[in-house]
Amino acid sequence: MPKTYAELLKEAKASIREVNPQEAEHLRAEGVTFVDVRESTEWDQGHIPGAIHVARSYLEQQIEAAVPDRNAPVVLYCAGGVRSAFGAQTLKELGYTDAISMSGGFQQWKGAGLPWTTPVVLSKEQQQRYSRHLLIPEVGSAGQARLLESKVLLIGAGGLGSPAALYLAAAGVGTIGIVDFDVVDVSNLQRQVIHASDRVGQKKVASARQTIEALNPDVTVVGHEEMLVGDNVERIIAGYDVILDGTDTFETRYLLNDAAVAAGIPVVHASVFRFEGQLTTFIPYEGPCYRCLYPTPPPPELAPGCSVAGVLGVVPGIMGLLQANEVLKVLLGIGTTLAGRLLIFDALEAEFTELKLRRDPACPVCSDGARAARERGEAPALSAFPADAPFVLSGAGLGALGGNDGNVGNSGAAEGRA
Amino acid sequence: MSTVYIPAVLRPSVGGVKSLDLGGGTVGELVHALLERHPGLGGQLLTPEGELNRFVNVYVNGQDVRYLDGLATPVGERDEVRLLPAMAGG
């Protein structure tokens, strides 16, 4: 027996629970998930803060990813309470035990003076460009807008920085800073894929800028054509959300670590050697820092750079993209970072190994004591640094420590970043 | 016997192998067993005083021995010991 629309709606409403906007607001305060089932054009004009957007037409397809817990209450709303009633009925059929429809919809919600917000609206071109991101509930237009407003600093446009820069630019990270004073050498091109044969001899920053601007006009490239040293590191890293460490010298890695901890900026770290790579994310005070991992650098003969030891081109490619993955997670606030974990990659065996890292309670840079001293405006005691600690930074809130003129040179980098 | 994994940078000192099965009840005993076979590694792993160099990390089953008992950390059969030096390349 065919049914009329009125009969269908009556049946749907009879099979589900409905709440009015005031009751819904109480549920929202308790942390209940809200799903807006209207069309994108309606969502763009305003929605309930914290709601997830899954259009009614995609509800069956996308709700399991957006709301995995079938036993948690979930409030659906639309403009007037009809689509959400049918939606809640569908969720019930999918096994959601407490699917609730908000009667009166968003119109009545706004009319009652309850809070609502307007999302960042992406342009038509951006909606197309980032459509595969927008389809992922964990990114969506709010996440994409966040990426567009983010600032990431790449230390080095070399083996690690090149692939990372390409994918971060493609992902729509709005500002990409690049620190590199080097020029493109033909021997870089085996792995530094952001550069090109016809740019040999050009500054790497200019070459990278050319590639990024051709790939994505949404990205602003900020060039820092200087060597990262004690005197400029604080100024260069200021204002960035995340730093990607793709240098090839220990001097720069320690210098950057110390300054980034002092500035409270996460550093996504990777290093490579022939067929192997190491990767982790340093989040100041939440996890260990580089000095916790390696209190001192090895002697040069034990740690040759890529220009001496060589590297399989794909290894920095793989590690650089894993760095970009960490950067995107930090920016979007999703997933679990590698903070406290060191990931080791062996290309020959195609093996990943994970090692546990800890904050060193005696770390001269990131221990609670060092942090407290920094917050009091005091330089950490000289004795806190082991006598063999290298590259002690005189800037970056660590105070003058002597034994170093602060003009730390990353001389190895002049040979070309690995 | 425990398996000791040798990082690429140290492999030339151990005949190019990726791992060695060595006997010993502690990390220190394993290191000494390794050095008996390959004395060339001595300066790279240990300080003149016989302590682990601070630029080489040693992990037993993924845990840094600096937060266990250092060279006295016990190792058992089938434990996985990994030497890990810092790398700078990028």
Side-chain angles (χ1 to χ4, degrees), chain A residues 160 247-248 253 271-272 276 278 292-293 295-296 302 342 349 356 358 360 418, chain B residues 8-9 11 18 44 54-55 57 62-63 66-67 84-90:
Chain A
L160 294 164
T247 56
D248 64 351
R253 289 183 185 279
S271 58
V272 292
E276 293 184 3
Q278 298 182 4
C292 301
L293 171 59
T296 66
L302 253 186
L342 184 73
E349 305 297 324
K356 174 109 180 118
R358 290 172 202 273
D360 182 351
Chain B
V9 69
R11 279 178 214 158
K18 195 186 164 212
Q44 294 166 318
R54 295 173 64 101
F55 50 81
N57 292 345
Q63 299 283 335
R66 276 192 285 158
Y67 301 102
L84 192 78
M87 309 192 295

PDB file of all heavy atoms in Angstrom, chain A residues 160 247-248 253 271-272 276 278 292-293 295-296 302 342 349 356 358 360 418, chain B residues 8-9 11 18 44 54-55 57 62-63 66-67 84-90:
ATOM      1  N   LEU A 160      64.600  16.088   2.694  1.00  0.00           N
ATOM      2  CA  LEU A 160      63.395  15.950   3.517  1.00  0.00           C
ATOM      3  C   LEU A 160      62.416  17.083   3.240  1.00  0.00           C
ATOM      4  O   LEU A 160      61.209  16.873   3.127  1.00  0.00           O
ATOM      5  CB  LEU A 160      63.765  15.956   5.012  1.00  0.00           C
ATOM      6  CG  LEU A 160      64.595  14.767   5.508  1.00  0.00           C
ATOM      7  CD1 LEU A 160      65.222  15.090   6.872  1.00  0.00           C
ATOM      8  CD2 LEU A 160      63.755  13.503   5.595  1.00  0.00           C
ATOM      9  N   THR A 247      67.288  19.555   8.288  1.00  0.00           N
ATOM     10  CA  THR A 247      68.681  19.984   8.094  1.00  0.00           C
ATOM     11  C   THR A 247      69.591  18.771   8.022  1.00  0.00           C
ATOM     12  O   THR A 247      69.166  17.644   8.227  1.00  0.00           O
ATOM     13  CB  THR A 247      69.170  20.848   9.266  1.00  0.00           C
ATOM     14  OG1 THR A 247      69.000  20.100  10.462  1.00  0.00           O
ATOM     15  CG2 THR A 247      68.415  22.131   9.351  1.00  0.00           C
ATOM     16  N   ASP A 248      70.867  19.028   7.767  1.00  0.00           N
ATOM     17  CA  ASP A 248      71.791  17.900   7.728  1.00  0.00           C
ATOM     18  C   ASP A 248      72.997  18.098   8.634  1.00  0.00           C
ATOM     19  O   ASP A 248      74.016  17.482   8.424  1.00  0.00           O
ATOM     20  CB  ASP A 248      72.225  17.603   6.292  1.00  0.00           C
ATOM     21  CG  ASP A 248      73.021  18.754   5.692  1.00  0.00           C
ATOM     22  OD1 ASP A 248      73.084  19.816   6.329  1.00  0.00           O
ATOM     23  OD2 ASP A 248      73.569  18.580   4.597  1.00  0.00           O
ATOM     24  N   ARG A 253      70.495  21.207  14.260  1.00  0.00           N
ATOM     25  CA  ARG A 253      69.449  20.446  14.940  1.00  0.00           C
ATOM     26  C   ARG A 253      69.380  20.807  16.436  1.00  0.00           C
ATOM     27  O   ARG A 253      68.300  20.972  16.983  1.00  0.00           O
ATOM     28  CB  ARG A 253      69.675  18.942  14.740  1.00  0.00           C
ATOM     29  CG  ARG A 253      69.391  18.503  13.297  1.00  0.00           C
ATOM     30  CD  ARG A 253      69.550  17.003  13.123  1.00  0.00           C
ATOM     31  NE  ARG A 253      69.405  16.565  11.752  1.00  0.00           N
ATOM     32  CZ  ARG A 253      68.243  16.362  11.131  1.00  0.00           C
ATOM     33  NH1 ARG A 253      67.116  16.552  11.777  1.00  0.00           N
ATOM     34  NH2 ARG A 253      68.206  15.958   9.883  1.00  0.00           N
ATOM     35  N   SER A 271      65.805  12.308  10.187  1.00  0.00           N
ATOM     36  CA  SER A 271      67.168  12.279   9.676  1.00  0.00           C
ATOM     37  C   SER A 271      67.334  11.000   8.872  1.00  0.00           C
ATOM     38  O   SER A 271      66.616  10.017   9.094  1.00  0.00           O
ATOM     39  CB  SER A 271      68.183  12.349  10.823  1.00  0.00           C
ATOM     40  OG  SER A 271      67.981  11.283  11.718  1.00  0.00           O
ATOM     41  N   VAL A 272      68.266  11.034   7.925  1.00  0.00           N
ATOM     42  CA  VAL A 272      68.446   9.874   7.042  1.00  0.00           C
ATOM     43  C   VAL A 272      69.916   9.540   6.876  1.00  0.00           C
ATOM     44  O   VAL A 272      70.785  10.404   7.028  1.00  0.00           O
ATOM     45  CB  VAL A 272      67.826  10.138   5.643  1.00  0.00           C
ATOM     46  CG1 VAL A 272      66.312  10.213   5.729  1.00  0.00           C
ATOM     47  CG2 VAL A 272      68.393  11.386   5.006  1.00  0.00           C
ATOM     48  N   GLU A 276      68.443   4.223   5.691  1.00  0.00           N
ATOM     49  CA  GLU A 276      67.721   4.282   6.960  1.00  0.00           C
ATOM     50  C   GLU A 276      67.234   5.692   7.274  1.00  0.00           C
ATOM     51  O   GLU A 276      67.841   6.674   6.866  1.00  0.00           O
ATOM     52  CB  GLU A 276      68.634   3.810   8.099  1.00  0.00           C
ATOM     53  CG  GLU A 276      68.950   2.348   7.969  1.00  0.00           C
ATOM     54  CD  GLU A 276      69.775   1.829   9.134  1.00  0.00           C
ATOM     55  OE1 GLU A 276      70.044   2.597  10.070  1.00  0.00           O
ATOM     56  OE2 GLU A 276      70.147   0.651   9.069  1.00  0.00           O
ATOM     57  N   GLN A 278      65.174   8.075  10.600  1.00  0.00           N
ATOM     58  CA  GLN A 278      64.618   8.178  11.955  1.00  0.00           C
ATOM     59  C   GLN A 278      63.631   9.338  11.956  1.00  0.00           C
ATOM     60  O   GLN A 278      63.863  10.354  11.304  1.00  0.00           O
ATOM     61  CB  GLN A 278      65.712   8.470  12.997  1.00  0.00           C
ATOM     62  CG  GLN A 278      66.762   7.391  13.097  1.00  0.00           C
ATOM     63  CD  GLN A 278      67.812   7.697  14.178  1.00  0.00           C
ATOM     64  OE1 GLN A 278      67.732   8.676  14.904  1.00  0.00           O
ATOM     65  NE2 GLN A 278      68.802   6.834  14.263  1.00  0.00           N
ATOM     66  N   CYS A 292      66.929  15.233  24.885  1.00  0.00           N
ATOM     67  CA  CYS A 292      66.560  14.056  25.682  1.00  0.00           C
ATOM     68  C   CYS A 292      66.915  12.783  24.911  1.00  0.00           C
ATOM     69  O   CYS A 292      67.343  11.786  25.492  1.00  0.00           O
ATOM     70  CB  CYS A 292      65.065  14.019  25.968  1.00  0.00           C
ATOM     71  SG  CYS A 292      64.420  15.433  26.854  1.00  0.00           S
ATOM     72  N   LEU A 293      66.699  12.843  23.591  1.00  0.00           N
ATOM     73  CA  LEU A 293      66.971  11.678  22.751  1.00  0.00           C
ATOM     74  C   LEU A 293      68.468  11.451  22.604  1.00  0.00           C
ATOM     75  O   LEU A 293      68.958  10.344  22.822  1.00  0.00           O
ATOM     76  CB  LEU A 293      66.300  11.884  21.385  1.00  0.00           C
ATOM     77  CG  LEU A 293      66.614  10.899  20.270  1.00  0.00           C
ATOM     78  CD1 LEU A 293      66.247   9.476  20.668  1.00  0.00           C
ATOM     79  CD2 LEU A 293      65.849  11.284  18.997  1.00  0.00           C
ATOM     80  N   PRO A 295      71.700  13.282  24.031  1.00  0.00           N
ATOM     81  CA  PRO A 295      72.278  14.374  24.836  1.00  0.00           C
ATOM     82  C   PRO A 295      73.481  15.028  24.175  1.00  0.00           C
ATOM     83  O   PRO A 295      73.703  16.224  24.340  1.00  0.00           O
ATOM     84  CB  PRO A 295      72.680  13.670  26.137  1.00  0.00           C
ATOM     85  CG  PRO A 295      71.845  12.429  26.186  1.00  0.00           C
ATOM     86  CD  PRO A 295      71.626  12.011  24.765  1.00  0.00           C
ATOM     87  N   THR A 296      74.255  14.255  23.417  1.00  0.00           N
ATOM     88  CA  THR A 296      75.401  14.850  22.723  1.00  0.00           C
ATOM     89  C   THR A 296      75.472  14.269  21.311  1.00  0.00           C
ATOM     90  O   THR A 296      75.014  13.154  21.083  1.00  0.00           O
ATOM     91  CB  THR A 296      76.745  14.553  23.429  1.00  0.00           C
ATOM     92  OG1 THR A 296      76.996  13.149  23.339  1.00  0.00           O
ATOM     93  CG2 THR A 296      76.724  14.964  24.880  1.00  0.00           C
ATOM     94  N   LEU A 302      81.484   9.275  12.906  1.00  0.00           N
ATOM     95  CA  LEU A 302      80.395   8.334  13.161  1.00  0.00           C
ATOM     96  C   LEU A 302      79.075   8.795  12.568  1.00  0.00           C
ATOM     97  O   LEU A 302      78.095   8.059  12.585  1.00  0.00           O
ATOM     98  CB  LEU A 302      80.221   8.138  14.665  1.00  0.00           C
ATOM     99  CG  LEU A 302      80.697   6.812  15.228  1.00  0.00           C
ATOM    100  CD1 LEU A 302      80.330   6.685  16.697  1.00  0.00           C
ATOM    101  CD2 LEU A 302      80.154   5.626  14.438  1.00  0.00           C
ATOM    102  N   LEU A 342      60.061   7.010  18.639  1.00  0.00           N
ATOM    103  CA  LEU A 342      60.981   7.183  17.518  1.00  0.00           C
ATOM    104  C   LEU A 342      60.690   6.082  16.510  1.00  0.00           C
ATOM    105  O   LEU A 342      60.729   4.899  16.843  1.00  0.00           O
ATOM    106  CB  LEU A 342      62.442   7.100  17.993  1.00  0.00           C
ATOM    107  CG  LEU A 342      63.501   7.358  16.911  1.00  0.00           C
ATOM    108  CD1 LEU A 342      63.559   8.841  16.547  1.00  0.00           C
ATOM    109  CD2 LEU A 342      64.877   6.905  17.386  1.00  0.00           C
ATOM    110  N   GLU A 349      65.079  -3.627   4.192  1.00  0.00           N
ATOM    111  CA  GLU A 349      64.213  -4.684   4.712  1.00  0.00           C
ATOM    112  C   GLU A 349      62.734  -4.287   4.608  1.00  0.00           C
ATOM    113  O   GLU A 349      61.860  -5.094   4.907  1.00  0.00           O
ATOM    114  CB  GLU A 349      64.544  -4.968   6.185  1.00  0.00           C
ATOM    115  CG  GLU A 349      66.003  -5.309   6.456  1.00  0.00           C
ATOM    116  CD  GLU A 349      66.433  -6.580   5.754  1.00  0.00           C
ATOM    117  OE1 GLU A 349      65.614  -7.525   5.656  1.00  0.00           O
ATOM    118  OE2 GLU A 349      67.588  -6.624   5.278  1.00  0.00           O
ATOM    119  N   LYS A 356      60.624   3.563  22.242  1.00  0.00           N
ATOM    120  CA  LYS A 356      59.992   4.465  23.211  1.00  0.00           C
ATOM    121  C   LYS A 356      60.992   5.549  23.625  1.00  0.00           C
ATOM    122  O   LYS A 356      62.128   5.254  23.968  1.00  0.00           O
ATOM    123  CB  LYS A 356      59.569   3.636  24.422  1.00  0.00           C
ATOM    124  CG  LYS A 356      59.032   4.423  25.570  1.00  0.00           C
ATOM    125  CD  LYS A 356      57.539   4.219  25.720  1.00  0.00           C
ATOM    126  CE  LYS A 356      57.013   5.025  26.901  1.00  0.00           C
ATOM    127  NZ  LYS A 356      56.044   6.023  26.479  1.00  0.00           N
ATOM    128  N   ARG A 358      61.688   9.028  26.143  1.00  0.00           N
ATOM    129  CA  ARG A 358      61.222   9.647  27.386  1.00  0.00           C
ATOM    130  C   ARG A 358      61.824  11.033  27.556  1.00  0.00           C
ATOM    131  O   ARG A 358      62.918  11.302  27.083  1.00  0.00           O
ATOM    132  CB  ARG A 358      61.647   8.791  28.591  1.00  0.00           C
ATOM    133  CG  ARG A 358      60.912   7.501  28.676  1.00  0.00           C
ATOM    134  CD  ARG A 358      61.551   6.651  29.771  1.00  0.00           C
ATOM    135  NE  ARG A 358      61.245   5.251  29.577  1.00  0.00           N
ATOM    136  CZ  ARG A 358      60.152   4.651  30.034  1.00  0.00           C
ATOM    137  NH1 ARG A 358      59.282   5.328  30.733  1.00  0.00           N
ATOM    138  NH2 ARG A 358      59.935   3.387  29.794  1.00  0.00           N
ATOM    139  N   ASP A 360      63.910  13.482  29.500  1.00  0.00           N
ATOM    140  CA  ASP A 360      64.988  13.321  30.461  1.00  0.00           C
ATOM    141  C   ASP A 360      64.741  14.300  31.609  1.00  0.00           C
ATOM    142  O   ASP A 360      64.732  15.513  31.394  1.00  0.00           O
ATOM    143  CB  ASP A 360      66.317  13.643  29.757  1.00  0.00           C
ATOM    144  CG  ASP A 360      67.508  13.462  30.670  1.00  0.00           C
ATOM    145  OD1 ASP A 360      67.310  13.260  31.891  1.00  0.00           O
ATOM    146  OD2 ASP A 360      68.643  13.531  30.167  1.00  0.00           O
ATOM    147  N   ALA A 418      71.253  17.181   2.626  1.00  0.00           N
ATOM    148  CA  ALA A 418      71.040  15.821   2.138  1.00  0.00           C
ATOM    149  C   ALA A 418      69.607  15.658   1.718  1.00  0.00           C
ATOM    150  O   ALA A 418      69.286  14.885   0.907  1.00  0.00           O
ATOM    151  CB  ALA A 418      71.363  14.844   3.231  1.00  0.00           C
TER     152      ALA A 418
ATOM    153  N   ALA B   8      73.302   0.816  10.446  1.00  0.00           N
ATOM    154  CA  ALA B   8      74.062   0.843   9.194  1.00  0.00           C
ATOM    155  C   ALA B   8      75.435   1.491   9.361  1.00  0.00           C
ATOM    156  O   ALA B   8      76.425   1.003   8.829  1.00  0.00           O
ATOM    157  CB  ALA B   8      73.267   1.591   8.127  1.00  0.00           C
ATOM    158  N   VAL B   9      75.483   2.552  10.152  1.00  0.00           N
ATOM    159  CA  VAL B   9      76.740   3.295  10.262  1.00  0.00           C
ATOM    160  C   VAL B   9      77.832   2.465  10.954  1.00  0.00           C
ATOM    161  O   VAL B   9      79.019   2.681  10.746  1.00  0.00           O
ATOM    162  CB  VAL B   9      76.505   4.661  10.965  1.00  0.00           C
ATOM    163  CG1 VAL B   9      76.154   4.476  12.423  1.00  0.00           C
ATOM    164  CG2 VAL B   9      77.687   5.583  10.799  1.00  0.00           C
ATOM    165  N   ARG B  11      77.908  -1.001  10.750  1.00  0.00           N
ATOM    166  CA  ARG B  11      78.047  -2.323  10.125  1.00  0.00           C
ATOM    167  C   ARG B  11      79.424  -2.599   9.530  1.00  0.00           C
ATOM    168  O   ARG B  11      79.900  -3.733   9.607  1.00  0.00           O
ATOM    169  CB  ARG B  11      76.945  -2.537   9.084  1.00  0.00           C
ATOM    170  CG  ARG B  11      75.665  -2.964   9.763  1.00  0.00           C
ATOM    171  CD  ARG B  11      74.518  -3.132   8.781  1.00  0.00           C
ATOM    172  NE  ARG B  11      73.287  -2.741   9.459  1.00  0.00           N
ATOM    173  CZ  ARG B  11      72.168  -2.362   8.861  1.00  0.00           C
ATOM    174  NH1 ARG B  11      72.105  -2.337   7.544  1.00  0.00           N
ATOM    175  NH2 ARG B  11      71.120  -2.026   9.568  1.00  0.00           N
ATOM    176  N   LYS B  18      73.814  -7.280   9.714  1.00  0.00           N
ATOM    177  CA  LYS B  18      72.765  -6.436  10.253  1.00  0.00           C
ATOM    178  C   LYS B  18      72.489  -6.722  11.722  1.00  0.00           C
ATOM    179  O   LYS B  18      72.079  -5.856  12.482  1.00  0.00           O
ATOM    180  CB  LYS B  18      71.497  -6.678   9.433  1.00  0.00           C
ATOM    181  CG  LYS B  18      70.457  -5.633   9.633  1.00  0.00           C
ATOM    182  CD  LYS B  18      69.171  -5.978   8.933  1.00  0.00           C
ATOM    183  CE  LYS B  18      68.082  -5.105   9.509  1.00  0.00           C
ATOM    184  NZ  LYS B  18      66.784  -5.682   9.540  1.00  0.00           N
ATOM    185  N   GLN B  44      83.634   3.516  19.654  1.00  0.00           N
ATOM    186  CA  GLN B  44      82.361   4.081  19.197  1.00  0.00           C
ATOM    187  C   GLN B  44      81.250   3.857  20.220  1.00  0.00           C
ATOM    188  O   GLN B  44      80.329   4.644  20.320  1.00  0.00           O
ATOM    189  CB  GLN B  44      81.986   3.470  17.846  1.00  0.00           C
ATOM    190  CG  GLN B  44      82.979   3.896  16.763  1.00  0.00           C
ATOM    191  CD  GLN B  44      82.877   3.072  15.491  1.00  0.00           C
ATOM    192  OE1 GLN B  44      82.737   1.875  15.524  1.00  0.00           O
ATOM    193  NE2 GLN B  44      82.974   3.746  14.373  1.00  0.00           N
ATOM    194  N   ARG B  54      77.318   8.824  25.110  1.00  0.00           N
ATOM    195  CA  ARG B  54      75.991   9.465  25.179  1.00  0.00           C
ATOM    196  C   ARG B  54      75.355   9.688  23.812  1.00  0.00           C
ATOM    197  O   ARG B  54      74.197  10.051  23.719  1.00  0.00           O
ATOM    198  CB  ARG B  54      76.104  10.799  25.928  1.00  0.00           C
ATOM    199  CG  ARG B  54      76.493  10.615  27.375  1.00  0.00           C
ATOM    200  CD  ARG B  54      76.757  11.955  28.024  1.00  0.00           C
ATOM    201  NE  ARG B  54      75.554  12.769  28.072  1.00  0.00           N
ATOM    202  CZ  ARG B  54      74.808  12.928  29.151  1.00  0.00           C
ATOM    203  NH1 ARG B  54      75.133  12.308  30.269  1.00  0.00           N
ATOM    204  NH2 ARG B  54      73.743  13.693  29.123  1.00  0.00           N
ATOM    205  N   PHE B  55      76.147   9.481  22.754  1.00  0.00           N
ATOM    206  CA  PHE B  55      75.558   9.657  21.425  1.00  0.00           C
ATOM    207  C   PHE B  55      75.103   8.332  20.826  1.00  0.00           C
ATOM    208  O   PHE B  55      74.671   8.288  19.674  1.00  0.00           O
ATOM    209  CB  PHE B  55      76.534  10.364  20.484  1.00  0.00           C
ATOM    210  CG  PHE B  55      77.920   9.754  20.456  1.00  0.00           C
ATOM    211  CD1 PHE B  55      78.189   8.633  19.696  1.00  0.00           C
ATOM    212  CD2 PHE B  55      78.931  10.302  21.227  1.00  0.00           C
ATOM    213  CE1 PHE B  55      79.455   8.075  19.669  1.00  0.00           C
ATOM    214  CE2 PHE B  55      80.200   9.746  21.213  1.00  0.00           C
ATOM    215  CZ  PHE B  55      80.463   8.625  20.440  1.00  0.00           C
ATOM    216  N   ASN B  57      72.430   5.370  21.672  1.00  0.00           N
ATOM    217  CA  ASN B  57      71.372   4.873  22.546  1.00  0.00           C
ATOM    218  C   ASN B  57      71.264   3.366  22.397  1.00  0.00           C
ATOM    219  O   ASN B  57      71.484   2.820  21.324  1.00  0.00           O
ATOM    220  CB  ASN B  57      70.035   5.509  22.187  1.00  0.00           C
ATOM    221  CG  ASN B  57      70.008   6.994  22.517  1.00  0.00           C
ATOM    222  OD1 ASN B  57      70.855   7.499  23.254  1.00  0.00           O
ATOM    223  ND2 ASN B  57      69.047   7.702  21.968  1.00  0.00           N
ATOM    224  N   GLY B  62      62.772  -2.143  22.668  1.00  0.00           N
ATOM    225  CA  GLY B  62      62.173  -0.834  22.412  1.00  0.00           C
ATOM    226  C   GLY B  62      62.281   0.163  23.557  1.00  0.00           C
ATOM    227  O   GLY B  62      61.806   1.274  23.441  1.00  0.00           O
ATOM    228  N   GLN B  63      62.894  -0.232  24.675  1.00  0.00           N
ATOM    229  CA  GLN B  63      63.021   0.676  25.833  1.00  0.00           C
ATOM    230  C   GLN B  63      64.482   1.112  25.991  1.00  0.00           C
ATOM    231  O   GLN B  63      65.392   0.281  25.974  1.00  0.00           O
ATOM    232  CB  GLN B  63      62.579  -0.039  27.127  1.00  0.00           C
ATOM    233  CG  GLN B  63      61.128  -0.501  27.117  1.00  0.00           C
ATOM    234  CD  GLN B  63      60.140   0.631  27.340  1.00  0.00           C
ATOM    235  OE1 GLN B  63      60.464   1.655  27.938  1.00  0.00           O
ATOM    236  NE2 GLN B  63      58.926   0.440  26.836  1.00  0.00           N
ATOM    237  N   ARG B  66      68.928   3.768  29.288  1.00  0.00           N
ATOM    238  CA  ARG B  66      69.220   4.870  30.233  1.00  0.00           C
ATOM    239  C   ARG B  66      68.125   4.982  31.282  1.00  0.00           C
ATOM    240  O   ARG B  66      68.343   5.500  32.370  1.00  0.00           O
ATOM    241  CB  ARG B  66      69.311   6.200  29.473  1.00  0.00           C
ATOM    242  CG  ARG B  66      70.653   6.483  28.855  1.00  0.00           C
ATOM    243  CD  ARG B  66      70.737   7.923  28.401  1.00  0.00           C
ATOM    244  NE  ARG B  66      69.967   8.156  27.178  1.00  0.00           N
ATOM    245  CZ  ARG B  66      69.526   9.361  26.807  1.00  0.00           C
ATOM    246  NH1 ARG B  66      69.769  10.416  27.541  1.00  0.00           N
ATOM    247  NH2 ARG B  66      68.851   9.500  25.683  1.00  0.00           N
ATOM    248  N   TYR B  67      66.893   4.551  30.917  1.00  0.00           N
ATOM    249  CA  TYR B  67      65.784   4.615  31.874  1.00  0.00           C
ATOM    250  C   TYR B  67      65.503   3.252  32.485  1.00  0.00           C
ATOM    251  O   TYR B  67      64.525   3.071  33.197  1.00  0.00           O
ATOM    252  CB  TYR B  67      64.536   5.204  31.193  1.00  0.00           C
ATOM    253  CG  TYR B  67      64.821   6.581  30.663  1.00  0.00           C
ATOM    254  CD1 TYR B  67      65.055   6.792  29.311  1.00  0.00           C
ATOM    255  CD2 TYR B  67      64.931   7.666  31.534  1.00  0.00           C
ATOM    256  CE1 TYR B  67      65.357   8.056  28.840  1.00  0.00           C
ATOM    257  CE2 TYR B  67      65.234   8.923  31.067  1.00  0.00           C
ATOM    258  CZ  TYR B  67      65.454   9.128  29.723  1.00  0.00           C
ATOM    259  OH  TYR B  67      65.759  10.386  29.267  1.00  0.00           O
ATOM    260  N   LEU B  84      71.575   2.448  18.620  1.00  0.00           N
ATOM    261  CA  LEU B  84      71.040   3.511  17.773  1.00  0.00           C
ATOM    262  C   LEU B  84      71.853   4.793  17.918  1.00  0.00           C
ATOM    263  O   LEU B  84      71.710   5.515  18.893  1.00  0.00           O
ATOM    264  CB  LEU B  84      69.580   3.795  18.148  1.00  0.00           C
ATOM    265  CG  LEU B  84      68.857   4.667  17.140  1.00  0.00           C
ATOM    266  CD1 LEU B  84      68.439   3.853  15.936  1.00  0.00           C
ATOM    267  CD2 LEU B  84      67.637   5.313  17.770  1.00  0.00           C
ATOM    268  N   PRO B  85      72.707   5.089  16.949  1.00  0.00           N
ATOM    269  CA  PRO B  85      73.437   6.354  16.995  1.00  0.00           C
ATOM    270  C   PRO B  85      72.609   7.468  16.373  1.00  0.00           C
ATOM    271  O   PRO B  85      71.707   7.214  15.581  1.00  0.00           O
ATOM    272  CB  PRO B  85      74.662   6.068  16.151  1.00  0.00           C
ATOM    273  CG  PRO B  85      74.222   5.013  15.179  1.00  0.00           C
ATOM    274  CD  PRO B  85      73.046   4.283  15.789  1.00  0.00           C
ATOM    275  N   ALA B  86      72.916   8.699  16.729  1.00  0.00           N
ATOM    276  CA  ALA B  86      72.257   9.842  16.121  1.00  0.00           C
ATOM    277  C   ALA B  86      72.677   9.946  14.652  1.00  0.00           C
ATOM    278  O   ALA B  86      73.794   9.589  14.288  1.00  0.00           O
ATOM    279  CB  ALA B  86      72.632  11.119  16.858  1.00  0.00           C
ATOM    280  N   MET B  87      71.766  10.414  13.816  1.00  0.00           N
ATOM    281  CA  MET B  87      72.091  10.671  12.420  1.00  0.00           C
ATOM    282  C   MET B  87      71.732  12.126  12.139  1.00  0.00           C
ATOM    283  O   MET B  87      70.761  12.633  12.676  1.00  0.00           O
ATOM    284  CB  MET B  87      71.245   9.795  11.485  1.00  0.00           C
ATOM    285  CG  MET B  87      71.253   8.335  11.834  1.00  0.00           C
ATOM    286  SD  MET B  87      70.547   7.322  10.514  1.00  0.00           S
ATOM    287  CE  MET B  87      68.856   7.866  10.485  1.00  0.00           C
ATOM    288  N   ALA B  88      72.504  12.764  11.269  1.00  0.00           N
ATOM    289  CA  ALA B  88      72.200  14.168  10.976  1.00  0.00           C
ATOM    290  C   ALA B  88      71.599  14.357   9.603  1.00  0.00           C
ATOM    291  O   ALA B  88      70.995  15.365   9.327  1.00  0.00           O
ATOM    292  CB  ALA B  88      73.451  15.012  11.117  1.00  0.00           C
ATOM    293  N   GLY B  89      71.796  13.445   8.715  1.00  0.00           N
ATOM    294  CA  GLY B  89      71.462  13.642   7.311  1.00  0.00           C
ATOM    295  C   GLY B  89      70.018  14.038   7.084  1.00  0.00           C
ATOM    296  O   GLY B  89      69.125  13.550   7.757  1.00  0.00           O
ATOM    297  N   GLY B  90      69.847  14.954   6.169  1.00  0.00           N
ATOM    298  CA  GLY B  90      68.481  15.353   5.873  1.00  0.00           C
ATOM    299  C   GLY B  90      68.368  15.905   4.462  1.00  0.00           C
ATOM    300  O   GLY B  90      67.334  16.379   4.096  1.00  0.00           O
TER     301      GLY B  90
END
